[in-house]
Amino acid sequence: ILVTFEKFHVDGADAKQVHSHGPTRPNFLLNAKPMIRIGPSEETKLANGEVVTKQVRDASGGVGAAVEDIAAPPRIVWRQLISFADYPKKVPKVKICENYLQKKNFDNTLELFTRFVVGVVPGYNVEYFCHHICNPYRRALCWSLDYDRKSDIDDVHGLWRISPHPTKKDWSRVEYAVDMRLAKGVPGFVVDVLKNKALHDACAWIKAASEKEYQNECKAKTTSSNWRNSFFSTKGGASSAYDSFFPHGIVFFKSFFSKFTNNREDSITTQYPATPSTQRLFQRRIFPIGFRRRPHLSTSTSCF
């Protein structure tokens, strides 16, 4: 571990060296079965805003899973999850998070190789290199160590999955699982911190960041809608705010372009009879969308 904690020092992470071994645990699959079965009691906890967790621990680490509901659509939760460059701003204890390699596969999955530096306790950092596999269509992400680089963590495998909430509109249900093994020589208090707080910390930051972004998005839409309503509304039969700004704009636009388009149409309709096929050609190819003739090609029909 690349840290110095008072007089304690352990040989640590190094991007120029390979890891001491390959995978020691099976990877999580993007389509794996959920580790936590959601029954009536779990649904009650989730409805109350609690996180449902399940843990299997041992001396070197353990497997943990968590499920929580987030008041934001899956697209926003996914965006928060894969924006690794912003992790130091929103994820507690993450000091550095940067992608050093990116690959796109033929099946549209994306591979991201990321360097993390996490401050476990003051004066004690853990550095590791992760290999992420992202499936944006399933909104699922699994990861393991990048074994071509030496990490402070002995081994880790994890999974994020985001799905729409089964009953609430614009809500998400998020599943998180991690299997972590720490290197030998890591102090016992570090093992306790990582094991006990990893699940709750992971769930807490993504919920807070996603709900904050969604609230800001809703607030911006409301402000924009209110502005449009006030700008184009009328009071007591008076002219709209648009007419007060552009009193002759609409009249000029109609008079000018109706003459222009009618002349164009006269020459075209003499060559092409008004049939369904020429109707489609006329609407899609010859005129922009704003100048389509409706409902037919009669030269007496005004464009407006």
Side-chain angles (χ1 to χ4, degrees), residues 228-251:
R228 286 197 303 269
N229 292 338
S230 62
F231 189 75
F232 291 105
S233 63
T234 60
K235 274 190 176 182
S239 298
S240 68
Y242 184 87
D243 292 334
S244 66
F245 276 97
F246 309 103
H248 307 295
I250 297 177
V251 176

Side-chain angles (χ1 to χ4, degrees), residues 58 60-63 153 155-157 178-182 194 198:
D58 57 31
S60 62
V63 181
I153 296 175
D155 207 359
V156 65
H157 301 276
V178 62
D179 183 355
M180 181 182 295
R181 307 288 160 175
L182 300 177
L194 291 176

Side-chain angles (χ1 to χ4, degrees), residues 264 268 272 278 280-288 291:
R264 252 181 110 176
I268 292 172
Y272 301 98
T278 56
R280 289 191 296 271
L281 173 67
F282 184 82
Q283 289 185 348
R284 297 180 182 178
R285 299 287 183 178
I286 298 175
F287 287 110
F291 305 117

Side-chain angles (χ1 to χ4, degrees), residues 71-238:
R75 59 180 176 82
I76 288 183
V77 182
W78 177 254
R79 186 161 60 234
Q80 288 290 336
L81 179 62
I82 63 173
S83 58
F84 291 109
D86 296 330
Y87 272 33
K89 302 176 185 178
K90 59 190 179 184
V91 184
K93 297 184 173 61
V94 174
K95 294 184 175 181
I96 299 175
C97 186
E98 54 190 11
N99 294 328
Y100 54 88
L101 185 61
Q102 179 174 319
K103 297 179 182 179
K104 188 173 183 180
N105 300 322
F106 68 93
D107 60 352
N108 290 323
T109 58
L110 183 66
E111 296 185 51
L112 299 174
F113 295 79
T114 311
R115 173 180 174 246
F116 289 88
V117 177
V118 180
V120 182
V121 293
Y124 196 104
N125 296 335
V126 174
E127 181 180 3
Y128 55 97
F129 303 91
C130 278
H131 172 203
H132 301 89
I133 301 177
C134 311
N135 188 325
Y137 299 100
R138 291 187 176 183
R139 292 194 175 96
L141 181 152
C142 64
W143 75 91
S144 63
L145 286 183
D146 178 5
Y147 298 100
D148 291 332
R149 302 190 178 207
K150 187 178 180 181
S151 297
D152 294 336
I153 296 175
D154 185 62
D155 207 359
V156 65
H157 301 276
L159 173 69
W160 284 100
R161 275 194 299 215
I162 305 165
S163 57
H165 194 278
T167 58
K168 297 180 180 179
K169 183 181 178 181
D170 290 334
W171 278 60
S172 302
R173 178 155 291 177
V174 178
E175 179 187 358
Y176 172 73
V178 62
D179 183 355
M180 181 182 295
R181 307 288 160 175
L182 300 177
K184 294 181 179 180
V186 175
F189 68 90
V190 176
V191 177
D192 292 338
V193 169
L194 291 176
K195 287 195 303 183
N196 296 332
K197 298 193 65 179
L199 286 177
H200 290 281
D201 285 353
C203 293
W205 80 257
I206 196 168
K207 180 179 179 69
S210 301
E211 292 182 351
K212 181 179 179 180
E213 180 183 349
Y214 186 53
Q215 290 170 4
N216 291 339
E217 181 181 284
C218 292
K219 192 180 298 182
K221 287 182 179 179
T222 302
T223 303
S224 176
S225 177
N226 292 340
W227 182 87
R228 286 197 303 269
N229 292 338
S230 62
F231 189 75
F232 291 105
S233 63
T234 60
K235 274 190 176 182

